[in-house]
Amino acid sequence: MSSKADFAKAKALTVTYLTPVSFASLNGSDKEADNISSIKKISAGVEQYPYVSAQAVRRALRNQLEVLGWTLSEGAVATIKKGAATTKQEPEKYIDDDLFGFMGTESGEGAGPGSAHKRTSVVRVSPLVALNPYQGDLDFGTNYMGVGAGGNPNIFETEVHAGLYRGTILIELDRVGCGDGFAKPLDNNEKAKRVKALLAAVKNLWASGRQSRFLADISPKFMAGALLVVKNPIFLESVLVDGADLNTKTLIETLKDYESETLATVIGARSGFFTGIPENTVSIGEAFNTMAGWVDQYYEIKDN
């Protein structure tokens, strides 16, 4: 059992999760080319694997934080010509500026040089990549909106996919609520509150795009979490499946290989989705509650 002193050594919390999708067009394009709306794919050999970009996952996490009651940093117009819009860049006030970072520039006075403000993201996110290849499936649709104005129905196609997706996040616990953008660090209670809010967002992950016709649940149905004294997403390439059978051997080997860098681990799974899960696997809810407990111990939050 890890001691309180051990938890103080932690540097990062990482979670790798699996989510099965039965019918979806995740992160698909809104602009139709040749009447086909495509989904993002990456090639591996002769196969193509759909994925949700890390940017889209980060957007989904931000949206879920807002749903959970957090006020997000609103977009701000750049003060320099052709500058990109950014956030308000106030991490002390806004959870998303703290956890997801920002890059902003400001124009200088007169002909003087401008200035740049940057906070590197505390939360590192992988794309949500399918473990099953794209099979060329298409959903056929017809848009009748222009018929009443004398037009013809517009027939279109949308690429769809069914399969298992894998994603990973890593949270740099030692950088939450301090560093770039902070006049002084936040108190530990606020730091813990923000990290636990992010964990709740991951537990309830929901992609907001293309949900009117392709409602999909991308919340974790299997997850492996670890509290580490290093910053390494140890499960990123080590959570493997063959059909619905989890490769427990690889997972156990990973835990053993990084035993000296690991302070605590938890495996969670939803019943009925996977076979061959390791012993001592708990429910998804219990797994996230366990990680929330790690966060409280790391930030030395006392029980109320």
Tab-separated table of all heavy atoms in Angstrom, residues 5-67:
chain	number	residue	atom	x	y	z
A	5	ALA	N	3.617	9.782	1.863
A	5	ALA	CA	4.868	10.315	1.345
A	5	ALA	C	5.094	9.880	-0.097
A	5	ALA	O	5.595	10.631	-0.922
A	5	ALA	CB	6.029	9.855	2.227
A	6	ASP	N	4.706	8.644	-0.425
A	6	ASP	CA	4.847	8.167	-1.786
A	6	ASP	C	4.026	9.011	-2.758
A	6	ASP	O	4.489	9.368	-3.836
A	6	ASP	CB	4.407	6.707	-1.887
A	6	ASP	CG	5.397	5.748	-1.247
A	6	ASP	OD1	6.603	6.066	-1.226
A	6	ASP	OD2	4.952	4.693	-0.776
A	7	PHE	N	2.797	9.331	-2.381
A	7	PHE	CA	1.932	10.104	-3.271
A	7	PHE	C	2.502	11.489	-3.544
A	7	PHE	O	2.264	12.060	-4.611
A	7	PHE	CB	0.520	10.215	-2.677
A	7	PHE	CG	-0.335	9.008	-2.960
A	7	PHE	CD1	-0.269	7.873	-2.154
A	7	PHE	CD2	-1.199	9.002	-4.035
A	7	PHE	CE1	-1.051	6.764	-2.431
A	7	PHE	CE2	-1.988	7.897	-4.311
A	7	PHE	CZ	-1.908	6.761	-3.507
A	8	ALA	N	3.253	12.027	-2.615
A	8	ALA	CA	3.855	13.343	-2.819
A	8	ALA	C	4.893	13.322	-3.937
A	8	ALA	O	5.239	14.365	-4.490
A	8	ALA	CB	4.493	13.833	-1.517
A	9	LYS	N	5.391	12.137	-4.292
A	9	LYS	CA	6.393	12.006	-5.352
A	9	LYS	C	5.778	11.963	-6.742
A	9	LYS	O	6.500	11.977	-7.740
A	9	LYS	CB	7.217	10.739	-5.127
A	9	LYS	CG	7.993	10.694	-3.829
A	9	LYS	CD	8.705	9.360	-3.681
A	9	LYS	CE	9.447	9.262	-2.356
A	9	LYS	NZ	10.097	7.930	-2.196
A	10	ALA	N	4.464	11.884	-6.825
A	10	ALA	CA	3.795	11.719	-8.118
A	10	ALA	C	4.063	12.911	-9.038
A	10	ALA	O	4.169	14.053	-8.593
A	10	ALA	CB	2.293	11.546	-7.919
A	11	LYS	N	4.157	12.613	-10.325
A	11	LYS	CA	4.322	13.652	-11.340
A	11	LYS	C	3.164	13.656	-12.343
A	11	LYS	O	2.850	14.697	-12.906
A	11	LYS	CB	5.640	13.440	-12.109
A	11	LYS	CG	6.885	13.651	-11.275
A	11	LYS	CD	7.064	15.100	-10.896
A	11	LYS	CE	8.413	15.342	-10.219
A	11	LYS	NZ	8.524	14.645	-8.922
A	12	ALA	N	2.550	12.498	-12.541
A	12	ALA	CA	1.521	12.421	-13.576
A	12	ALA	C	0.515	11.329	-13.275
A	12	ALA	O	0.798	10.364	-12.553
A	12	ALA	CB	2.165	12.165	-14.940
A	13	LEU	N	-0.655	11.516	-13.843
A	13	LEU	CA	-1.709	10.503	-13.813
A	13	LEU	C	-2.068	10.213	-15.270
A	13	LEU	O	-2.327	11.148	-16.039
A	13	LEU	CB	-2.923	11.022	-13.040
A	13	LEU	CG	-4.046	10.048	-12.680
A	13	LEU	CD1	-4.922	10.646	-11.567
A	13	LEU	CD2	-4.932	9.690	-13.863
A	14	THR	N	-2.039	8.938	-15.661
A	14	THR	CA	-2.370	8.591	-17.033
A	14	THR	C	-3.522	7.595	-17.077
A	14	THR	O	-3.639	6.738	-16.201
A	14	THR	CB	-1.144	8.025	-17.781
A	14	THR	OG1	-1.474	7.842	-19.161
A	14	THR	CG2	-0.678	6.708	-17.196
A	15	VAL	N	-4.361	7.729	-18.093
A	15	VAL	CA	-5.507	6.843	-18.292
A	15	VAL	C	-5.569	6.466	-19.772
A	15	VAL	O	-5.539	7.338	-20.643
A	15	VAL	CB	-6.839	7.526	-17.901
A	15	VAL	CG1	-8.008	6.562	-18.105
A	15	VAL	CG2	-6.806	8.027	-16.474
A	16	THR	N	-5.635	5.167	-20.042
A	16	THR	CA	-5.911	4.678	-21.390
A	16	THR	C	-7.257	3.965	-21.349
A	16	THR	O	-7.517	3.190	-20.427
A	16	THR	CB	-4.813	3.725	-21.882
A	16	THR	OG1	-3.604	4.468	-22.061
A	16	THR	CG2	-5.188	3.079	-23.211
A	17	TYR	N	-8.099	4.237	-22.332
A	17	TYR	CA	-9.465	3.715	-22.286
A	17	TYR	C	-9.890	3.169	-23.642
A	17	TYR	O	-9.358	3.547	-24.690
A	17	TYR	CB	-10.437	4.808	-21.829
A	17	TYR	CG	-10.462	6.032	-22.695
A	17	TYR	CD1	-11.417	6.204	-23.689
A	17	TYR	CD2	-9.519	7.049	-22.519
A	17	TYR	CE1	-11.438	7.331	-24.492
A	17	TYR	CE2	-9.528	8.184	-23.321
A	17	TYR	CZ	-10.489	8.320	-24.302
A	17	TYR	OH	-10.493	9.433	-25.107
A	18	LEU	N	-10.842	2.256	-23.595
A	18	LEU	CA	-11.447	1.668	-24.790
A	18	LEU	C	-12.928	2.002	-24.806
A	18	LEU	O	-13.596	1.982	-23.768
A	18	LEU	CB	-11.284	0.148	-24.792
A	18	LEU	CG	-9.872	-0.417	-24.820
A	18	LEU	CD1	-9.922	-1.933	-24.670
A	18	LEU	CD2	-9.153	-0.034	-26.105
A	19	THR	N	-13.430	2.310	-25.993
A	19	THR	CA	-14.858	2.564	-26.133
A	19	THR	C	-15.359	1.959	-27.438
A	19	THR	O	-14.854	2.297	-28.509
A	19	THR	CB	-15.175	4.079	-26.072
A	19	THR	OG1	-16.592	4.275	-26.199
A	19	THR	CG2	-14.449	4.869	-27.134
A	20	PRO	N	-16.307	1.021	-27.377
A	20	PRO	CA	-16.871	0.454	-28.597
A	20	PRO	C	-17.955	1.355	-29.177
A	20	PRO	O	-18.755	1.930	-28.439
A	20	PRO	CB	-17.461	-0.884	-28.124
A	20	PRO	CG	-17.747	-0.678	-26.681
A	20	PRO	CD	-16.793	0.360	-26.167
A	21	VAL	N	-17.945	1.501	-30.477
A	21	VAL	CA	-18.929	2.331	-31.170
A	21	VAL	C	-19.645	1.461	-32.196
A	21	VAL	O	-19.001	0.844	-33.048
A	21	VAL	CB	-18.247	3.532	-31.862
A	21	VAL	CG1	-19.259	4.328	-32.676
A	21	VAL	CG2	-17.582	4.431	-30.827
A	22	SER	N	-20.964	1.378	-32.115
A	22	SER	CA	-21.711	0.474	-32.992
A	22	SER	C	-22.052	1.088	-34.342
A	22	SER	O	-22.155	0.383	-35.348
A	22	SER	CB	-23.006	0.015	-32.302
A	22	SER	OG	-23.803	1.136	-31.948
A	23	PHE	N	-22.227	2.422	-34.394
A	23	PHE	CA	-22.578	3.083	-35.658
A	23	PHE	C	-22.327	4.566	-35.482
A	23	PHE	O	-23.006	5.223	-34.701
A	23	PHE	CB	-24.058	2.837	-35.987
A	23	PHE	CG	-24.471	3.303	-37.361
A	23	PHE	CD1	-24.613	2.396	-38.403
A	23	PHE	CD2	-24.719	4.647	-37.633
A	23	PHE	CE1	-25.001	2.805	-39.672
A	23	PHE	CE2	-25.097	5.075	-38.891
A	23	PHE	CZ	-25.249	4.150	-39.918
A	24	ALA	N	-21.322	5.085	-36.175
A	24	ALA	CA	-20.983	6.491	-35.946
A	24	ALA	C	-20.211	7.065	-37.119
A	24	ALA	O	-19.664	6.340	-37.958
A	24	ALA	CB	-20.156	6.639	-34.668
A	25	SER	N	-20.169	8.388	-37.160
A	25	SER	CA	-19.330	9.131	-38.094
A	25	SER	C	-18.540	10.133	-37.262
A	25	SER	O	-18.706	11.342	-37.380
A	25	SER	CB	-20.192	9.841	-39.141
A	25	SER	OG	-19.384	10.535	-40.074
A	26	LEU	N	-17.684	9.598	-36.384
A	26	LEU	CA	-16.949	10.428	-35.431
A	26	LEU	C	-15.985	11.363	-36.138
A	26	LEU	O	-15.220	10.937	-37.001
A	26	LEU	CB	-16.191	9.538	-34.446
A	26	LEU	CG	-17.035	8.607	-33.575
A	26	LEU	CD1	-16.135	7.730	-32.716
A	26	LEU	CD2	-17.997	9.396	-32.699
A	27	ASN	N	-16.027	12.636	-35.743
A	27	ASN	CA	-15.099	13.636	-36.277
A	27	ASN	C	-15.179	13.737	-37.798
A	27	ASN	O	-14.192	14.011	-38.475
A	27	ASN	CB	-13.677	13.304	-35.840
A	27	ASN	CG	-12.773	14.527	-35.726
A	27	ASN	OD1	-11.590	14.396	-35.493
A	27	ASN	ND2	-13.324	15.736	-35.886
A	28	GLY	N	-16.372	13.464	-38.351
A	28	GLY	CA	-16.543	13.530	-39.797
A	28	GLY	C	-16.568	14.963	-40.295
A	28	GLY	O	-16.791	15.909	-39.545
A	29	SER	N	-16.351	15.121	-41.581
A	29	SER	CA	-16.323	16.458	-42.175
A	29	SER	C	-17.746	16.991	-42.318
A	29	SER	O	-18.683	16.248	-42.586
A	29	SER	CB	-15.655	16.414	-43.548
A	29	SER	OG	-16.411	15.625	-44.450
A	30	ASP	N	-17.892	18.300	-42.116
A	30	ASP	CA	-19.189	18.947	-42.320
A	30	ASP	C	-19.363	19.374	-43.763
A	30	ASP	O	-20.464	19.523	-44.255
A	30	ASP	CB	-19.334	20.174	-41.408
A	30	ASP	CG	-19.474	19.768	-39.946
A	30	ASP	OD1	-20.099	18.725	-39.698
A	30	ASP	OD2	-18.948	20.478	-39.082
A	31	LYS	N	-18.250	19.593	-44.459
A	31	LYS	CA	-18.302	20.010	-45.857
A	31	LYS	C	-18.312	18.778	-46.736
A	31	LYS	O	-17.450	17.913	-46.639
A	31	LYS	CB	-17.098	20.886	-46.194
A	31	LYS	CG	-17.097	21.405	-47.631
A	31	LYS	CD	-15.905	22.306	-47.882
A	31	LYS	CE	-15.921	22.847	-49.314
A	31	LYS	NZ	-14.746	23.704	-49.586
A	32	GLU	N	-19.286	18.698	-47.584
A	32	GLU	CA	-19.406	17.537	-48.450
A	32	GLU	C	-18.706	17.795	-49.786
A	32	GLU	O	-18.938	18.798	-50.442
A	32	GLU	CB	-20.869	17.188	-48.685
A	32	GLU	CG	-21.590	16.765	-47.408
A	32	GLU	CD	-23.072	16.575	-47.609
A	32	GLU	OE1	-23.516	16.727	-48.756
A	32	GLU	OE2	-23.774	16.285	-46.640
A	33	ALA	N	-17.812	16.889	-50.161
A	33	ALA	CA	-17.125	16.949	-51.447
A	33	ALA	C	-17.639	15.793	-52.292
A	33	ALA	O	-17.595	14.641	-51.856
A	33	ALA	CB	-15.620	16.840	-51.252
A	34	ASP	N	-18.127	16.120	-53.484
A	34	ASP	CA	-18.719	15.091	-54.345
A	34	ASP	C	-19.836	14.354	-53.622
A	34	ASP	O	-20.040	13.149	-53.807
A	34	ASP	CB	-17.649	14.093	-54.810
A	34	ASP	CG	-16.573	14.768	-55.648
A	34	ASP	OD1	-16.918	15.712	-56.387
A	34	ASP	OD2	-15.417	14.362	-55.551
A	35	ASN	N	-20.542	15.092	-52.760
A	35	ASN	CA	-21.674	14.553	-52.013
A	35	ASN	C	-21.292	13.428	-51.065
A	35	ASN	O	-22.141	12.618	-50.684
A	35	ASN	CB	-22.783	14.081	-52.964
A	35	ASN	CG	-23.556	15.247	-53.552
A	35	ASN	OD1	-23.497	16.366	-53.040
A	35	ASN	ND2	-24.261	15.010	-54.631
A	36	ILE	N	-20.045	13.359	-50.665
A	36	ILE	CA	-19.599	12.372	-49.679
A	36	ILE	C	-18.967	13.105	-48.500
A	36	ILE	O	-18.036	13.894	-48.673
A	36	ILE	CB	-18.586	11.380	-50.279
A	36	ILE	CG1	-19.231	10.551	-51.391
A	36	ILE	CG2	-18.052	10.450	-49.194
A	36	ILE	CD1	-18.283	9.569	-52.042
A	37	SER	N	-19.476	12.847	-47.313
A	37	SER	CA	-18.919	13.413	-46.091
A	37	SER	C	-18.005	12.354	-45.470
A	37	SER	O	-18.462	11.289	-45.060
A	37	SER	CB	-20.044	13.786	-45.121
A	37	SER	OG	-19.509	14.351	-43.944
A	38	SER	N	-16.721	12.635	-45.429
A	38	SER	CA	-15.746	11.633	-45.017
A	38	SER	C	-15.425	11.704	-43.531
A	38	SER	O	-15.687	12.709	-42.864
A	38	SER	CB	-14.456	11.801	-45.827
A	38	SER	OG	-13.902	13.079	-45.581
A	39	ILE	N	-14.858	10.629	-43.014
A	39	ILE	CA	-14.339	10.613	-41.654
A	39	ILE	C	-12.810	10.569	-41.721
A	39	ILE	O	-12.236	10.134	-42.716
A	39	ILE	CB	-14.869	9.411	-40.840
A	39	ILE	CG1	-14.596	8.082	-41.564
A	39	ILE	CG2	-16.346	9.579	-40.560
A	39	ILE	CD1	-15.072	6.871	-40.808
A	40	LYS	N	-12.156	11.023	-40.666
A	40	LYS	CA	-10.703	11.034	-40.642
A	40	LYS	C	-10.179	9.612	-40.505
A	40	LYS	O	-10.706	8.807	-39.723
A	40	LYS	CB	-10.194	11.903	-39.493
A	40	LYS	CG	-10.496	13.381	-39.675
A	40	LYS	CD	-9.904	14.209	-38.556
A	40	LYS	CE	-10.155	15.693	-38.814
A	40	LYS	NZ	-9.567	16.545	-37.758
A	41	LYS	N	-9.123	9.314	-41.254
A	41	LYS	CA	-8.539	7.973	-41.233
A	41	LYS	C	-7.020	8.075	-41.335
A	41	LYS	O	-6.496	9.010	-41.938
A	41	LYS	CB	-9.077	7.139	-42.404
A	41	LYS	CG	-10.578	6.884	-42.354
A	41	LYS	CD	-11.080	6.122	-43.552
A	41	LYS	CE	-11.169	6.976	-44.805
A	41	LYS	NZ	-12.213	7.988	-44.772
A	42	ILE	N	-6.361	7.070	-40.750
A	42	ILE	CA	-4.916	6.952	-40.880
A	42	ILE	C	-4.613	5.581	-41.477
A	42	ILE	O	-5.286	4.594	-41.171
A	42	ILE	CB	-4.208	7.132	-39.519
A	42	ILE	CG1	-2.690	7.151	-39.706
A	42	ILE	CG2	-4.625	6.055	-38.521
A	42	ILE	CD1	-1.925	7.583	-38.469
A	43	SER	N	-3.612	5.537	-42.355
A	43	SER	CA	-3.287	4.287	-43.041
A	43	SER	C	-2.205	3.514	-42.288
A	43	SER	O	-1.259	4.089	-41.757
A	43	SER	CB	-2.795	4.572	-44.467
A	43	SER	OG	-3.811	5.200	-45.226
A	44	ALA	N	-2.379	2.208	-42.253
A	44	ALA	CA	-1.377	1.299	-41.699
A	44	ALA	C	-1.338	0.084	-42.620
A	44	ALA	O	-2.232	-0.760	-42.572
A	44	ALA	CB	-1.719	0.896	-40.276
A	45	GLY	N	-0.329	0.027	-43.455
A	45	GLY	CA	-0.300	-1.006	-44.480
A	45	GLY	C	-1.387	-0.746	-45.499
A	45	GLY	O	-1.533	0.364	-46.004
A	46	VAL	N	-2.165	-1.763	-45.789
A	46	VAL	CA	-3.245	-1.618	-46.772
A	46	VAL	C	-4.541	-1.169	-46.121
A	46	VAL	O	-5.519	-0.864	-46.812
A	46	VAL	CB	-3.475	-2.935	-47.539
A	46	VAL	CG1	-2.234	-3.323	-48.317
A	46	VAL	CG2	-3.885	-4.066	-46.586
A	47	GLU	N	-4.578	-1.133	-44.785
A	47	GLU	CA	-5.805	-0.796	-44.066
A	47	GLU	C	-5.838	0.687	-43.686
A	47	GLU	O	-4.802	1.338	-43.539
A	47	GLU	CB	-5.934	-1.641	-42.795
A	47	GLU	CG	-5.914	-3.136	-43.023
A	47	GLU	CD	-7.199	-3.652	-43.645
A	47	GLU	OE1	-8.080	-2.844	-44.007
A	47	GLU	OE2	-7.329	-4.885	-43.774
A	48	GLN	N	-7.053	1.189	-43.509
A	48	GLN	CA	-7.275	2.539	-43.007
A	48	GLN	C	-8.081	2.462	-41.718
A	48	GLN	O	-9.084	1.734	-41.649
A	48	GLN	CB	-8.009	3.392	-44.038
A	48	GLN	CG	-7.180	3.763	-45.249
A	48	GLN	CD	-7.898	4.748	-46.140
A	48	GLN	OE1	-9.074	4.584	-46.449
A	48	GLN	NE2	-7.196	5.784	-46.562
A	49	TYR	N	-7.635	3.223	-40.730
A	49	TYR	CA	-8.272	3.179	-39.416
A	49	TYR	C	-8.844	4.561	-39.085
A	49	TYR	O	-8.096	5.548	-39.052
A	49	TYR	CB	-7.260	2.761	-38.358
A	49	TYR	CG	-6.771	1.339	-38.535
A	49	TYR	CD1	-5.721	1.051	-39.410
A	49	TYR	CD2	-7.375	0.293	-37.856
A	49	TYR	CE1	-5.288	-0.251	-39.593
A	49	TYR	CE2	-6.944	-1.021	-38.029
A	49	TYR	CZ	-5.902	-1.283	-38.895
A	49	TYR	OH	-5.470	-2.576	-39.088
A	50	PRO	N	-10.152	4.655	-38.829
A	50	PRO	CA	-10.743	5.936	-38.452
A	50	PRO	C	-10.176	6.440	-37.121
A	50	PRO	O	-9.733	5.642	-36.284
A	50	PRO	CB	-12.234	5.604	-38.317
A	50	PRO	CG	-12.436	4.392	-39.159
A	50	PRO	CD	-11.166	3.607	-38.999
A	51	TYR	N	-10.194	7.741	-36.951
A	51	TYR	CA	-9.762	8.304	-35.675
A	51	TYR	C	-10.472	9.624	-35.410
A	51	TYR	O	-10.966	10.289	-36.321
A	51	TYR	CB	-8.244	8.506	-35.648
A	51	TYR	CG	-7.730	9.626	-36.524
A	51	TYR	CD1	-7.517	10.908	-36.010
A	51	TYR	CD2	-7.432	9.412	-37.867
A	51	TYR	CE1	-7.038	11.941	-36.808
A	51	TYR	CE2	-6.947	10.427	-38.672
A	51	TYR	CZ	-6.751	11.689	-38.143
A	51	TYR	OH	-6.284	12.704	-38.931
A	52	VAL	N	-10.514	9.974	-34.139
A	52	VAL	CA	-10.975	11.283	-33.699
A	52	VAL	C	-9.726	12.061	-33.315
A	52	VAL	O	-8.939	11.600	-32.487
A	52	VAL	CB	-11.932	11.170	-32.499
A	52	VAL	CG1	-12.415	12.548	-32.062
A	52	VAL	CG2	-13.114	10.266	-32.836
A	53	SER	N	-9.521	13.209	-33.909
A	53	SER	CA	-8.291	13.964	-33.665
A	53	SER	C	-8.172	14.371	-32.199
A	53	SER	O	-9.167	14.512	-31.484
A	53	SER	CB	-8.249	15.218	-34.545
A	53	SER	OG	-9.225	16.158	-34.121
A	54	ALA	N	-6.928	14.560	-31.762
A	54	ALA	CA	-6.692	15.016	-30.394
A	54	ALA	C	-7.351	16.375	-30.155
A	54	ALA	O	-7.844	16.656	-29.059
A	54	ALA	CB	-5.190	15.094	-30.124
A	55	GLN	N	-7.369	17.213	-31.181
A	55	GLN	CA	-8.021	18.515	-31.045
A	55	GLN	C	-9.504	18.351	-30.765
A	55	GLN	O	-10.078	19.057	-29.931
A	55	GLN	CB	-7.814	19.331	-32.320
A	55	GLN	CG	-8.426	20.721	-32.266
A	55	GLN	CD	-8.186	21.512	-33.549
A	55	GLN	OE1	-7.569	21.027	-34.488
A	55	GLN	NE2	-8.678	22.729	-33.587
A	56	ALA	N	-10.140	17.391	-31.447
A	56	ALA	CA	-11.565	17.155	-31.223
A	56	ALA	C	-11.812	16.574	-29.832
A	56	ALA	O	-12.814	16.912	-29.175
A	56	ALA	CB	-12.119	16.222	-32.297
A	57	VAL	N	-10.919	15.692	-29.362
A	57	VAL	CA	-11.063	15.135	-28.014
A	57	VAL	C	-10.927	16.240	-26.975
A	57	VAL	O	-11.701	16.307	-26.010
A	57	VAL	CB	-10.012	14.031	-27.770
A	57	VAL	CG1	-10.085	13.539	-26.322
A	57	VAL	CG2	-10.243	12.861	-28.729
A	58	ARG	N	-9.961	17.129	-27.169
A	58	ARG	CA	-9.789	18.252	-26.246
A	58	ARG	C	-11.024	19.147	-26.235
A	58	ARG	O	-11.463	19.636	-25.198
A	58	ARG	CB	-8.546	19.062	-26.627
A	58	ARG	CG	-7.238	18.384	-26.265
A	58	ARG	CD	-6.057	18.994	-27.018
A	58	ARG	NE	-5.899	20.413	-26.762
A	58	ARG	CZ	-5.159	20.927	-25.785
A	58	ARG	NH1	-4.508	20.117	-24.967
A	58	ARG	NH2	-5.043	22.232	-25.632
A	59	ARG	N	-11.611	19.372	-27.429
A	59	ARG	CA	-12.824	20.171	-27.508
A	59	ARG	C	-13.972	19.479	-26.766
A	59	ARG	O	-14.743	20.125	-26.057
A	59	ARG	CB	-13.198	20.362	-28.982
A	59	ARG	CG	-14.435	21.214	-29.245
A	59	ARG	CD	-14.184	22.668	-28.925
A	59	ARG	NE	-14.691	23.069	-27.617
A	59	ARG	CZ	-14.460	24.240	-27.059
A	59	ARG	NH1	-13.706	25.133	-27.668
A	59	ARG	NH2	-14.962	24.543	-25.889
A	60	ALA	N	-14.048	18.162	-26.912
A	60	ALA	CA	-15.083	17.406	-26.221
A	60	ALA	C	-14.912	17.492	-24.705
A	60	ALA	O	-15.898	17.610	-23.957
A	60	ALA	CB	-15.064	15.953	-26.682
A	61	LEU	N	-13.668	17.445	-24.240
A	61	LEU	CA	-13.415	17.565	-22.802
A	61	LEU	C	-13.787	18.953	-22.294
A	61	LEU	O	-14.386	19.100	-21.223
A	61	LEU	CB	-11.946	17.271	-22.508
A	61	LEU	CG	-11.507	15.813	-22.667
A	61	LEU	CD1	-9.982	15.696	-22.570
A	61	LEU	CD2	-12.167	14.930	-21.618
A	62	ARG	N	-13.440	19.984	-23.058
A	62	ARG	CA	-13.832	21.354	-22.685
A	62	ARG	C	-15.357	21.459	-22.592
A	62	ARG	O	-15.898	22.017	-21.630
A	62	ARG	CB	-13.320	22.363	-23.717
A	62	ARG	CG	-11.834	22.670	-23.657
A	62	ARG	CD	-11.487	23.625	-24.796
A	62	ARG	NE	-10.071	23.916	-24.899
A	62	ARG	CZ	-9.484	25.023	-24.456
A	62	ARG	NH1	-10.207	25.947	-23.857
A	62	ARG	NH2	-8.188	25.214	-24.615
A	63	ASN	N	-16.039	20.941	-23.613
A	63	ASN	CA	-17.498	21.019	-23.620
A	63	ASN	C	-18.101	20.311	-22.413
A	63	ASN	O	-19.070	20.789	-21.816
A	63	ASN	CB	-18.055	20.411	-24.911
A	63	ASN	CG	-17.755	21.255	-26.133
A	63	ASN	OD1	-17.357	22.416	-26.020
A	63	ASN	ND2	-17.926	20.681	-27.311
A	64	GLN	N	-17.527	19.163	-22.060
A	64	GLN	CA	-18.071	18.425	-20.925
A	64	GLN	C	-17.798	19.148	-19.614
A	64	GLN	O	-18.625	19.116	-18.690
A	64	GLN	CB	-17.481	17.014	-20.896
A	64	GLN	CG	-18.278	16.013	-20.080
A	64	GLN	CD	-19.698	15.837	-20.568
A	64	GLN	OE1	-20.607	16.551	-20.137
A	64	GLN	NE2	-19.900	14.911	-21.485
A	65	LEU	N	-16.658	19.829	-19.510
A	65	LEU	CA	-16.390	20.645	-18.325
A	65	LEU	C	-17.442	21.743	-18.184
A	65	LEU	O	-17.910	22.041	-17.077
A	65	LEU	CB	-14.998	21.264	-18.404
A	65	LEU	CG	-13.819	20.318	-18.158
A	65	LEU	CD1	-12.502	21.010	-18.479
A	65	LEU	CD2	-13.806	19.825	-16.709
A	66	GLU	N	-17.832	22.329	-19.318
A	66	GLU	CA	-18.876	23.356	-19.282
A	66	GLU	C	-20.200	22.756	-18.847
A	66	GLU	O	-20.932	23.345	-18.039
A	66	GLU	CB	-19.004	24.018	-20.650
A	66	GLU	CG	-19.951	25.211	-20.669
A	66	GLU	CD	-19.912	25.946	-21.988
A	66	GLU	OE1	-19.709	25.289	-23.032
A	66	GLU	OE2	-20.077	27.183	-21.981
A	67	VAL	N	-20.523	21.566	-19.357
A	67	VAL	CA	-21.752	20.879	-18.950
A	67	VAL	C	-21.739	20.601	-17.446
A	67	VAL	O	-22.766	20.683	-16.773
A	67	VAL	CB	-21.909	19.559	-19.741
A	67	VAL	CG1	-23.042	18.711	-19.160
A	67	VAL	CG2	-22.184	19.843	-21.207
